[in-house]
């Protein structure tokens, strides 16, 4: 199986995923092997939703739609054009996946396979239904993948390198346990928004998608705002109001009520609008239903602060002049070449 065969297979997978979007699930009879897989994948979506209360059907479909948009031929070619695939030493790469949002480890999965390696996947118990089914689809549309994809629930063994994602605590364990293996170890990261007060309502509405999508559980979710001293939070609350129905979702409202009670009992100052709380805090990782905020003096000082804290930050959402900034509403639609923690996974894999 050469590189072009692998590219073709992932482009076909993108077409298959394109049947499952936030606008609806619609079967396309032109999709390869669809009679064999379409209904089965619908069932896997239902099972994934039932087994994880944070995996709402809308969020699952949003993830699938995002991957469908990413896995088109021109995107895949643009992603891979800068790399040299001529001398790949085929190895087995282990991946330990997180389970905070649907298919959160999928980029690592496709990166390993597109570079020609075998993959050994240890999934999170919170997200174990979607990926094995998609792996089987890949094996059917491109038989060259057969024998290259394995899943395990046991202790990892017989692998050459590892990509592991977890909390800061588990990362310390990973670093010790895999100290003799080439590795990428990913820790906690959060995303921030830098506001000036001049944002339009449309921009703030888009920012609300960066905050609330996946209930704020992803590293690309904005969990903290940096605002000037005279910032008008009423404009922010008006902008995010479109997400107010989220308060009717059980797991979210339980967290909202709990965190609000903790803040009130602790006599913390906070702002809230009935479905989101804002709390002044220097931390980057905020609880569910809460966004932290911090005042800044000048953009220059803030740039220096964010640079010194870059290991804690995944995305910076702003219209200001910040390096690697992301537009409002775009954090949950990364391109294939947008690497987690800014670590080039494909380059790492090609050096094996």
């Amino acid at each position: 199986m050469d590189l072009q065969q692998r590219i073709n297979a992932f482009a076909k997978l993108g077409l298959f995923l394109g049947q499952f979007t936030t606008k609806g699930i619609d079967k396309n009879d032109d999709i390869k092997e669809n009679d064999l897989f379409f209904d089965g994948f619908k069932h896997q979506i239902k099972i994934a939703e039932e087994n994880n209360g944070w995996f709402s059907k809308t969020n699952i479909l949003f993830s699938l739609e995002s991957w469908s948009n990413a896995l088109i031929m021109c995107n895949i070619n643009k992603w891979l054009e800068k790399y040299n695939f001529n001398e790949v030493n085929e190895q087995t790469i282990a991946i330990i996946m997180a389970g905070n949002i649907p298919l959160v480890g999928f980029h690592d999965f496709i990166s390993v396979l597109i570079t020609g390696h075998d993959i050994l996947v240890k999934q999170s118990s919170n997200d174990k239904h979607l990926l094995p089914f998609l792996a089987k689809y890949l094996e059917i549309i491109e038989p060259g993948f057969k024998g290259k994809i394995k899943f395990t629930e046991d202790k990892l063994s017989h692998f050459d390198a590892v990509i592991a994602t977890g909390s800061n605590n588990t990362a310390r364990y990973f670093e010790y346990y895999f100290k003799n293996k080439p590795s990428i170890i990913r820790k906690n990261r959060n995303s921030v928004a830098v506001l000036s007060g001049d944002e339009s309502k449309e921009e703030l509405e888009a920012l609300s998608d960066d905050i609330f999508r996946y209930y704020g559980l992803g590293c690309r979710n904005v969990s903290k705002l940096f605002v000037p001293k005279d910032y008008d939070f009423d404009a922010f609350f008006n902008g995010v109001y479109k997400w107010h129905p989220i308060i009717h979702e059980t797991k979210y409202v339980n967290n909202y009520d709990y965190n609000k009670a903790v803040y009130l009992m602790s006599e913390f100052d906070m702002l809230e609008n009935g479905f989101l709380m804002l709390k002044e805090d220097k931390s980057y990782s905020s609880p569910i239903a809460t966004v932290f905020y911090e005042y800044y003096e000048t953009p220059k000082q803030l740039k220096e602060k964010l640079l010194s804290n870059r290991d804690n930050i995944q995305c910076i959402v702003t219209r200001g002049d910040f390096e690697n900034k992301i537009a409002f509403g775009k954090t949950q639609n990364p391109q294939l070449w947008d690497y987690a923690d800014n670590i080039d996974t494909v380059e790492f894999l090609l050096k094996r």
Side-chain angles (χ1 to χ4, degrees), residues 192-195 207 210 222 315-319 326-329 331:
V192 304
V194 178
L195 305 180
L207 175 60
D210 300 323
V222 169
C315 305
I316 299 175
V317 180
T318 184
R319 60 150 66 162
I326 293 179
F328 293 100
T331 63

Side-chain angles (χ1 to χ4, degrees), residues 224-225 263 279-285 292-294:
K224 182 165 185 176
L225 309 176
Y263 294 153
K279 177 178 177 291
E280 187 173 2
D281 199 299
K282 292 189 178 299
S283 301
Y284 287 94
S285 181
F292 291 155
Y293 69 91
E294 185 176 338

Side-chain angles (χ1 to χ4, degrees), residues 54 130 136 250 312:
W54 293 113
L130 301 174
K136 184 59 65 176
T250 303
N312 297 315

